[in-house]
Amino acid sequence: GPKVLQIPSHQIIDMGQMVTLNCDPVSNHLYFYWYKQILGQQMEFLVNFYNGKVMEKSKLFKDQFSVERPDGSYFTLKIQPTALEDSAVYFCASSLGAGANTEVFFGKGTRLTVV
Amino acid sequence: GQQVQQSPASLVLQEGENAELQCNFSTSLNSMQWFYQRPGGSLVSLFYNPSGTKHSGRLTSTTVIKERRSSLHISSSQTTDSGTYLCALGMNYNQGKLIFGQGTKLSIKP
């Protein structure tokens, strides 16, 4: 089936540094998402993005977070600066639409460890 | 309160037994997806099933909209089925925004 690719699968970063998580969504999809899962906890919606803009963000999407998809390339999540509580697995997802009968496709996740 | 509730929270079975996992939701259904999360954390999509019954090998998903529930049935379980099973509900106004349940952790003993 359609694949969402996330690079890298693991990243370790020093607290206070900047990190960019990369996602290659399904090629013809138009809507993009990031989800966050802290180890042992529930998967939670962070943000979704369409037509170059953030459509909706949750309270977990702090001011230090930003998303973009420059020129149709990777969809990225940037955290600047990172904090210890940002350690989690971040999942990228994409979908063709956002209305009825929308199936969302997920990547395998990037495990971010902030030390 | 929780919009999506999964039960049981954990389930231990012997290999060969069948597993029944439940997902109940408190809001109107617009889309329903089931995922398998490997012990290492990666996600595998199992079903997109907003209504009715779907089959895939030993897996069956049934969503009953009126009763606000969806189930995942695993027949003849195998040790490789061990992991966490997640259901996720699509929101009415933005169906790409999924609300996940807390998962059912399944352990299959040899």
Side-chain angles (χ1 to χ4, degrees):
Chain A
K3 290 206 185 302
V4 175
L5 301 176
Q6 289 189 244
I7 305 161
S9 58
H10 256 99
Q11 188 146 2
I12 300 174
I13 196 107
D14 290 327
M15 184 176 64
Q17 298 298 304
M18 182 193 77
V19 69
T20 301
L21 307 184
N22 294 304
C23 170
D24 188 9
V26 177
S27 61
N28 62 336
H29 282 185
L30 301 175
Y31 293 81
F32 313 109
Y33 313 86
W34 285 102
Y35 287 78
K36 177 182 180 181
Q37 187 179 36
I38 294 172
L39 186 63
Q41 296 187 24
Q42 200 163 349
M43 179 91 74
E44 295 197 83
F45 169 83
L46 273 181
V47 65
N48 75 321
F49 189 84
Y50 167 73
N51 199 24
K53 296 176 191 165
V54 169
M55 287 179 66
E56 183 179 352
K57 55 188 180 182
S58 73
K59 62 182 186 304
L60 297 180
F61 194 80
K62 305 183 300 184
D63 290 344
Q64 296 89 331
F65 289 18
S66 62
V67 291
E68 62 176 356
R69 192 182 187 218
D71 301 323
S73 60
Y74 285 143
F75 175 51
T76 63
L77 173 65
K78 185 186 291 186
I79 308 175
Q80 182 177 27
T82 50
L84 293 176
E85 61 264 27
D86 297 330
S87 294
V89 181
Y90 290 85
F91 291 91
C92 175
S94 69
S95 65
L96 186 57
N101 301 316
T102 291
E103 183 174 3
V104 184
F105 295 84
F106 281 75
K108 291 181 185 294
T110 293
R111 182 177 297 278
L112 176 67
T113 303
V114 181
V115 296
Chain B
Q2 275 281 15
Q3 291 178 292
V4 181
Q5 295 214 337
Q6 289 189 246
S7 61
S10 62
L11 183 60
V12 180
L13 296 172
Q14 287 297 130
E15 195 169 28
E17 291 184 313
N18 298 332
E20 187 80 19
L21 283 55
Q22 298 291 340
C23 179
N24 292 280
F25 36 92
S26 57
T27 63
S28 300
L29 173 72
N30 294 286
S31 67
M32 169 59 66
Q33 293 187 230
W34 281 94
F35 299 90
Y36 167 66
Q37 187 163 37
R38 294 195 173 101
S42 63
L43 273 185
V44 177
S45 179
L46 297 177
F47 289 104
Y48 170 73
N49 187 18
S51 69
T53 298
K54 290 194 174 182
H55 303 277
S56 177
R58 295 182 293 106
L59 304 182
T60 301
S61 168
T62 299
T63 299
V64 183
I65 297 172
K66 275 194 242 182
E67 296 177 14
R68 296 194 173 180
R69 64 173 177 85
S70 183
S71 64
L72 179 68
H73 181 87
I74 305 173
S75 62
S76 304
S77 61
Q78 300 174 359
T79 56
T80 50
D81 295 330
S82 296
T84 300
Y85 291 80
L86 302 173
C87 67
L89 179 71
M91 299 305 292
N92 182 37
Y93 59 92
N94 177 2
Q95 292 190 37
K97 177 184 177 182
L98 299 180
I99 305 300
F100 281 80
Q102 295 195 316
T104 292
K105 187 170 181 181
L106 179 65
S107 298
I108 307 296
K109 305 289 186 192

